[in-house]
Amino acid sequence: MSCEEASHVCDKAQYNESTFLERLKLRIHILFCDLCKKHTIDNHKLTETIKKSNIVCLDSKSKSEMKKCLEKEIKNQNAKH
Amino acid sequence: MPDHKIDATKWIDSYSDYLYNYTISRVSDSEIAKDLVQDTFFAGLKSMKNFKGEASERTWLISILKRKIIDYYRKINSKKGKAEVRMSYSSDSEDEGEWLEERVEDQSYKNAEDVLENTELSIAIYNCLDKLPEKQAQVFKMKTIENYDTEIICNELNITASNLWVIIHRARTALSSCLEKNWY
């Protein structure tokens, strides 16, 4: 497994989209590759941090509704001046 | 006219997620939070002329939002809200024991410090997300925060799966090092 593949598997693993075999290969790779090992640890840490933060964002439907309302309001305001 | 031009049409794309995230940790109802964010944009639009450009646009909008949140709590605490407060336990009934039991601290509630730290953390993440190119931030949010399937994101944004993974990889690397500097 190359470093490039390793980082791809590592990314997929953060979203539970890697296979068992891929993860096994990654494990073996990072036994010998310090750079990928560090990247794997950092990447995992990021996943944990985001989970912990309970971060939220707006869904695209709400956003486009908001946009419509705001644009209408902008037009109203421009018409007044 | 002020020399700093505000483009309100960009507000939703640039600030709505950040404001929403800020609100939800304080009112914890998504519909109310959405309304408050929307109200904030309207109020911002009205007082755009007064914006002196001393703070960033986002800071200015947050200051409006803070007022909106306070107003919201005032409103539900006013006449109508107070009238609805009912005492559910009479002092002489044998339910008293139950009353005490229900008063015991609910362990499922996180303590205030945890909530505070999570709020700060999610704001720190947004600050880092703001530094990413727009597309990277968008894909990362859809994939990581909204948990959309790869396929759905690819269809919506018209990119290939390998495009997506390259973008995700760049976003994750940048975020990691940004948080490394500013949070960990």
Side-chain angles (χ1 to χ4, degrees):
Chain A
M1 187 182 248
S2 68
C3 289
E4 209 174 307
E5 275 173 83
S7 77
H8 180 50
V9 170
C10 179
D11 285 334
K12 282 203 292 183
Q14 305 312 313
Y15 302 94
N16 298 325
E17 289 181 36
S18 58
T19 63
F20 176 72
L21 192 65
E22 282 174 331
R23 284 198 301 279
L24 189 68
K25 281 186 187 162
L26 173 64
R27 289 244 156 221
I28 295 166
H29 179 90
I30 61 176
L31 280 180
F32 306 101
C33 179
D34 284 346
L35 212 62
C36 286
K37 187 176 174 183
K38 186 180 183 307
H39 173 252
T40 305
I41 292 170
D42 289 349
N43 212 354
H44 186 69
K45 197 170 167 188
L46 181 66
T47 304
E48 290 298 310
T49 307
I50 285 167
K51 238 186 243 163
K52 206 177 77 183
S53 74
N54 295 325
I55 194 168
V56 289
C57 64
L58 281 165
D59 53 295
S60 50
K61 203 177 131 229
S62 306
K63 264 191 207 170
S64 61
E65 274 168 19
M66 273 191 181
K67 240 184 213 169
K68 254 189 236 151
C69 290
L70 190 65
E71 269 158 22
K72 221 167 96 190
E73 198 69 17
I74 292 172
K75 257 186 213 150
N76 280 344
Q77 189 154 340
N78 287 342
K80 263 189 242 162
H81 292 300
Chain B
M1 275 311 275
D3 38 338
H4 22 262
K5 264 232 146 54
I6 298 180
D7 187 358
T9 52
K10 294 221 175 78
W11 281 355
I12 306 282
D13 287 330
S14 311
Y15 308 120
S16 63
D17 282 332
Y18 183 85
L19 296 185
Y20 179 67
N21 187 67
Y22 184 94
T23 319
I24 203 90
S25 59
R26 285 158 176 86
V27 300
S28 61
D29 179 290
S30 66
E31 286 307 312
I32 293 167
K34 273 182 216 163
D35 286 346
L36 287 171
V37 171
Q38 182 80 280
D39 283 352
T40 302
F41 287 134
F42 287 164
L45 206 58
K46 272 194 201 126
S47 56
M48 233 156 71
K49 278 183 251 109
N50 305 329
F51 177 63
K52 297 190 193 75
E54 280 161 358
S56 74
E57 243 172 80
R58 199 178 73 180
T59 312
W60 172 65
L61 286 168
I62 282 282
S63 70
I64 299 174
L65 176 62
K66 277 183 188 163
R67 289 239 64 89
K68 293 275 166 207
I69 295 172
I70 293 169
D71 285 348
Y72 162 73
Y73 277 112
R74 278 214 187 112
K75 210 158 79 194
I76 57 170
N77 237 335
S78 67
K79 291 162 266 161
K80 197 179 160 218
K82 276 185 191 142
E84 279 166 12
V85 175
R86 274 175 237 122
M87 296 303 292
S88 2
Y89 298 99
S90 52
S91 53
D92 57 352
S93 79
E94 59 260 38
D95 290 339
E96 208 174 329
E98 228 172 280
W99 183 80
L100 276 173
E101 261 162 46
E102 284 173 26
R103 276 310 195 80
V104 169
E105 183 189 19
D106 186 348
Q107 291 294 336
S108 66
Y109 275 98
K110 289 185 204 139
N111 67 45
E113 244 166 70
D114 276 348
V115 174
L116 201 64
E117 185 173 310
N118 288 343
T119 308
E120 279 170 15
L121 176 54
S122 57
I123 285 171
I125 294 172
Y126 266 115
N127 286 336
C128 286
L129 274 168
D130 277 351
K131 291 183 189 143
L132 298 182
E134 209 172 299
K135 184 105 177 193
Q136 271 182 36
Q138 186 190 16
V139 173
F140 181 82
K141 276 191 238 171
M142 287 174 90
K143 182 89 184 132
T144 318
I145 305 175
E146 295 187 84
N147 295 318
Y148 277 125
D149 283 340
T150 304
E151 223 176 288
I152 292 173
I153 303 172
C154 288
N155 283 337
E156 188 146 326
L157 302 178
N158 206 9
I159 54 176
T160 65
S162 57
N163 280 156
L164 176 131
W165 285 110
V166 169
I167 293 170
I168 288 286
H169 182 73
R170 287 187 186 145
R172 295 190 70 93
T173 313
L175 276 180
S176 260
S177 66
C178 178
L179 286 171
E180 189 78 50
K181 264 185 248 148
N182 300 306
W183 182 263
Y184 296 147

